[in-house]
């Protein structure tokens, strides 16, 4: 994509903008309809839903990015090219503009039929899917398209909004309200009080004042109203590895599927800086890259994503046809079966003033956003599991020093050996065993110092730490099930199998037709690969349940 992209994307330009042969276009005709556009006509406008994937038969179309300044050219499409990126796969608002440079004849393939093309024309669909993904990567790297966040750098709400958009795979920009001239101009134009920052300018022109994630998601088209009249075959609560795996397998086998998550896709796996022991990736892969592939794969098969939207209650449907999930602001999802994959929530330090620094100086992720904040500084990281090890190694490549604090006397009991060896080989990682944090000191929400104590020696140390990373495990995310008659164990994990209800399968809960998979299930193996396996396995149980209850897919 134009000059603002990385060498990697530039090297794959032919895959991003493939030229379709006449035979390919003939295969695509049955999925769309013929359209014509006059010279100068706006075919697609950023912030509005595109009519679909547009295959050009004749004429030329200019594609530009929508930013705060002049439109930035991306590419000019001609005969045999097609217009679209991942937004068109799920019928969401476009991130770019498309204008006819001369009279154009085209075939327009709407989103639903585009998914049919992906499945029915496998070879052609593979080329199209690869191009859509690479185009989104190009937009992410260019940092021009998408919503614009304006606020002070390091502000907790700016970081919150940036983190949400990054985890959602949506291109965006963050402008410093103190120094960026474009930011200052917008603040003056909209008469924004500095105390009301940050603001977000959405691609559709709407201005939001320090929005919540749901409000921002609705403005940019990630979150849409739920169709209360539709009855799904399966509703999946949670979009981590287990939930996304279940979605891919269920939808690919013909089950109408909806996925809900209160934050973003990826779950805790999305926070992993690098996963190196996942089968099939010998060089490793970041958790976010792995989860983004699964998210796109689910949409390819027609899974409806409702993210971020919180499930508040699970109850029986009024007509006894299945279940009802109360979500969002008074909305309802009707479904024949439910798969609970709500995973776990991060544990927090037992330090009195922890909340004061969360979002600005205390982090539960180690992404490029956090790394940018603490570049060339000294940071502290608490934890001794694989996630902590991956984060420590990643941060060591970005910061001056990482002090890793662990409660045990060694990392070997809880961390994979390859990570222990890698940490030992990093000159700027210092491991402090048998050590716990006892105090956080700072002002205005920003850390200045962290104090920790070595439990064996009883010695306290104060370090000039402005950023603290916590990877101390997680608890089951089951608070929302308190009034849902789903049996839990003493630690809050969901009980499943014949022990909890006679005749139930391994993953079925105390309520028939309600299943639990992944980290939230009692007795599950807390690994990404195990969660994916359970996501695939539960689909057979769904088919069996639906067949017994008169709805065989």
């Amino acid at each position: 994509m134009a000059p603002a992209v990385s060498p990697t994307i530039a090297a794959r330009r032919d895959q991003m903008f493939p030229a379709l042969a006449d035979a390919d276009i003939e295969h695509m005709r049955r999925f769309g309809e013929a359209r014509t556009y006059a010279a100068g006509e706006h075919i697609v406008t950023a912030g509005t839903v595109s009519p679909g994937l547009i295959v050009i038969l004749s004429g030329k179309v200019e594609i530009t990015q929508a930013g705060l300044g002049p439109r930035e050219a991306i590419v000019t499409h001609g005969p045999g090219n097609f217009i679209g990126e991942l937004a068109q796969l799920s019928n969401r608002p476009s991130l770019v503009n498309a204008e006819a440079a001369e009279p154009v004849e085209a075939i327009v393939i709407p989103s639903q039929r585009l998914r049919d093309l992906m499945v029915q024309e496998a070879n052609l669909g593979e080329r199209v899917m690869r191009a859509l993904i690479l185009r989104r990567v190009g937009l992410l790297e260019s940092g021009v398209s998408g919503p614009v966040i304006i606020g002070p750098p390091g502000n907790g709400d700016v970081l919150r909004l940036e983190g949400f958009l990054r985890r959602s795979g949506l291109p965006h920009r963050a402008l410093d309200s103190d120094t960026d001239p474009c930011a200052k101009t917008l603040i003056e134009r909209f008469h924004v009080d500095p105390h009301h920052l940050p603001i977000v300018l959405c691609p559709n022109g709407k201005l939001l004042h320090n929005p919540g994630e749901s409000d921002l998601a609705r403005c940019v088209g990630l979150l849409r109203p739920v169709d209360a009249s539709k009855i799904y075959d399966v509703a999946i609560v949670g979009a981590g590895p287990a939930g996304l795996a279940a979605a891919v397998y269920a939808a690919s086998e013909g089950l109408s599927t909806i996925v809900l998550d209160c934050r973003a896709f990826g779950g805790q796996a999305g926070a992993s800086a690098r996963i190196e022991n996942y089968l099939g990736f010998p060089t490793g892969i970041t958790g976010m890259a792995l989860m983004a592939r699964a998210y796109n794969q689910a949409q390819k098969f027609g899974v409806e994503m409702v993210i971020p939207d919180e499930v508040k209650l699970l109850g029986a449907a009024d007509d006894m046809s299945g279940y009802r999930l109360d979500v969002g602001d008074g909305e309802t999802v009707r479904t024949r079966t439910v798969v609970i994959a709500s995973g776990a929530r991060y544990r927090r330090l037992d330090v009195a003033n922890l909340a004061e620094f969360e979002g600005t100086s205390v982090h539960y992720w180690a992404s490029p956003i956090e790394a940018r904040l603490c570049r060339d500084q000294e940071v502290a990281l608490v934890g001794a599991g694989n996630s902590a090890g991956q984060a420590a190694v990643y941060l060591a490549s970005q910061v001056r020093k990482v002090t890793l604090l662990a409660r045990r006397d060694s990392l070997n009991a809880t961390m994979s050996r390859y990570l222990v060896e890698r940490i030992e080989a990093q000159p700027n990682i210092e491991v402090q065993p048998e050590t716990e944090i006892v105090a956080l000191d700072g002002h205005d929400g920003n850390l200045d110092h962290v104090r920790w104590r070595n439990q064996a020696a009883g010695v306290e140390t104060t370090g000039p730490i402005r950023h603290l990373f916590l990877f101390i495990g997680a608890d089951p995310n089951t608070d929302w099930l308190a009034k849902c008659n789903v049996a839990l164990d003493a630690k809050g994990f969901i009980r499943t199998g014949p022990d909890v209800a006679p005749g139930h399968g391994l993953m079925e809960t105390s309520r028939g037709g309600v299943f639990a998979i992944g980290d939230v299930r009692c007795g599950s193996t807390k690994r990404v690969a195990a969660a994916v396996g359970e996501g695939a396995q539960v689909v057979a149980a769904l088919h069996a349940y639906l067949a017994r209850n008169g709805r065989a897919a």
Side-chain angles (χ1 to χ4, degrees):
M1 281 188 169
V5 299
S6 71
T8 303
I9 299 302
R12 302 182 70 175
R13 187 178 182 85
D14 289 344
Q15 292 179 314
M16 293 178 71
F17 307 114
L20 301 174
D22 292 342
D24 296 328
I25 294 175
E26 287 305 310
H27 282 291
M28 300 174 87
R29 282 186 185 275
R30 66 188 178 95
F31 297 97
E33 59 182 26
R35 291 282 301 273
T36 60
Y37 300 94
E41 185 173 351
H42 292 281
I43 301 174
V44 179
T45 302
T48 63
V49 177
S50 165
L53 190 84
I54 302 170
V55 183
I56 301 173
L57 303 178
S58 67
K60 292 183 179 180
V61 177
E62 293 180 349
I63 308 299
T64 58
Q65 293 193 96
L68 291 177
R71 291 187 176 184
E72 192 170 306
I74 299 175
V75 68
T76 299
H77 285 312
N81 298 137
F82 58 84
I83 303 166
E85 58 97 41
L86 283 176
Q88 280 63 67
L89 187 62
S90 53
N91 202 35
R92 284 179 164 80
S94 176
L95 295 168
V96 299
N97 302 295
E99 182 178 338
E102 55 188 59
V104 170
E105 294 180 341
I107 299 170
V108 177
I109 304 174
S111 293
Q112 179 58 51
R113 295 295 284 157
L114 176 58
R115 293 192 290 268
D116 294 339
L117 182 150
M118 298 281 187
V119 174
Q120 297 176 31
E121 298 285 347
N123 291 334
L124 181 56
E126 178 185 348
R127 292 171 60 199
V128 171
M129 188 70 184
R130 183 183 294 112
L132 300 184
I133 292 172
L134 287 174
R135 292 177 186 184
R136 173 59 63 90
V137 171
L139 291 174
L140 285 166
E141 293 187 352
S142 71
V144 176
S145 296
V148 181
I149 304 169
I150 299 169
N155 174 275
D157 287 312
V158 171
L159 297 176
R160 171 180 61 83
L161 296 170
E162 274 196 278
F164 167 70
L165 292 173
R166 187 192 67 83
R167 295 195 301 273
S168 300
L170 196 72
H172 62 279
R173 297 175 68 186
L175 302 183
D176 187 338
S177 57
D178 296 328
T179 61
D180 192 282
C182 288
K184 291 182 176 181
T185 299
L186 283 172
I187 291 171
E188 294 173 1
R189 180 188 303 170
F190 291 104
H191 307 290
V192 178
D193 188 304
H195 295 94
H196 295 160
L197 293 173
I199 57 174
V200 181
L201 183 63
C202 298
N204 61 8
K206 187 174 181 180
L207 186 73
L208 303 178
H209 293 264
N210 194 15
E213 284 87 339
S214 292
D215 292 333
L216 177 55
R218 292 186 189 280
C219 188
V220 298
L222 287 176
L223 186 59
R224 295 174 295 201
V226 174
D227 183 357
S229 66
K230 182 173 181 178
I231 301 178
Y232 294 89
D233 291 326
V234 56
I236 300 171
V237 183
L244 289 177
V248 168
Y249 283 98
S252 67
E253 295 182 16
L255 300 182
S256 57
T257 306
I258 185 171
V259 173
L260 305 103
D261 195 293
C262 63
R263 292 183 180 85
F265 70 82
Q268 289 195 87
S272 296
R274 181 161 294 274
I275 302 173
E276 294 190 64
N277 56 358
Y278 189 80
L279 187 67
F281 292 91
T283 59
I285 185 171
T286 67
M288 182 52 64
L290 182 64
M291 291 298 96
R293 293 182 185 196
Y295 177 73
N296 293 332
Q297 191 173 16
Q299 291 185 97
K300 168 186 172 179
F301 289 114
V303 174
E304 185 170 340
M305 297 290 181
V306 183
I307 305 174
D309 211 348
E310 185 175 10
V311 178
K312 299 177 179 178
L313 188 68
L314 164 65
D318 296 336
D319 58 2
M320 303 304 292
S321 63
Y323 289 96
R324 183 193 75 249
L325 293 171
D326 294 341
V327 301
D329 298 324
E331 293 186 307
T332 299
V333 173
R334 300 168 66 196
T335 180
R336 295 180 174 89
T337 62
V338 177
V339 173
I340 301 173
S342 49
R345 60 180 180 273
Y346 298 113
R347 288 179 185 152
R348 303 168 74 244
L349 279 180
D350 187 17
V351 178
N353 59 344
L354 177 70
E356 179 183 344
F357 304 107
E358 287 180 316
T360 52
S361 296
V362 174
H363 313 285
Y364 298 87
W365 291 63
S367 76
I369 294 174
E370 289 77 25
R372 183 186 70 219
L373 288 174
C374 53
R375 187 176 302 279
D376 299 326
Q377 299 179 30
E378 179 178 346
V379 304
L381 186 149
V382 182
N386 278 1
S387 294
Q390 291 159 354
V393 171
Y394 169 69
L395 289 170
S397 68
Q398 309 289 320
V399 304
R400 185 172 70 252
K401 179 183 177 181
V402 177
T403 299
L404 196 160
L405 310 174
R407 287 188 299 173
R408 296 175 182 252
D409 60 1
S410 170
L411 299 178
N412 290 302
T414 53
M415 189 180 294
S416 295
R417 185 60 200 167
Y418 80 92
L419 278 173
V420 175
E421 292 176 352
R422 188 165 296 166
I423 286 172
E424 291 173 345
Q426 301 298 318
N428 62 336
I429 298 181
E430 179 183 351
V431 179
Q432 295 277 358
E434 298 182 275
T435 301
E436 293 184 347
I437 287 180
V438 294
L440 304 176
D441 299 312
H443 64 282
D444 299 329
N446 295 297
L447 270 178
D448 292 326
H449 298 89
V450 174
R451 190 161 75 250
W452 56 82
R453 177 189 297 122
N454 182 283
Q455 302 299 339
V459 177
E460 289 193 5
T461 303
T462 299
I465 304 296
R466 295 188 176 183
H467 290 279
L468 173 65
F469 293 82
L470 302 181
F471 290 84
I472 54 178
D475 297 312
N477 187 15
T478 53
D479 290 350
W480 64 281
L481 291 170
K483 299 179 181 179
C484 300
N485 295 322
V486 173
L488 309 177
D489 71 2
K491 294 182 178 180
F493 292 94
I494 299 175
R495 297 175 58 203
T496 60
D499 292 341
V500 70
H504 282 200
L506 176 64
M507 297 176 189
E508 196 165 8
T509 70
S510 54
R511 300 187 71 169
V514 178
F515 302 82
I517 58 174
D519 288 2
V520 77
R521 187 177 70 83
C522 175
S524 66
T525 302
K526 308 307 191 248
R527 293 282 187 176
V528 173
V532 170
E534 291 193 8
Q537 186 179 351
V538 76
V539 176
L542 292 173
H543 280 299
Y545 177 86
L546 290 169
R548 290 196 306 270
N549 290 272
R551 169 56 176 86

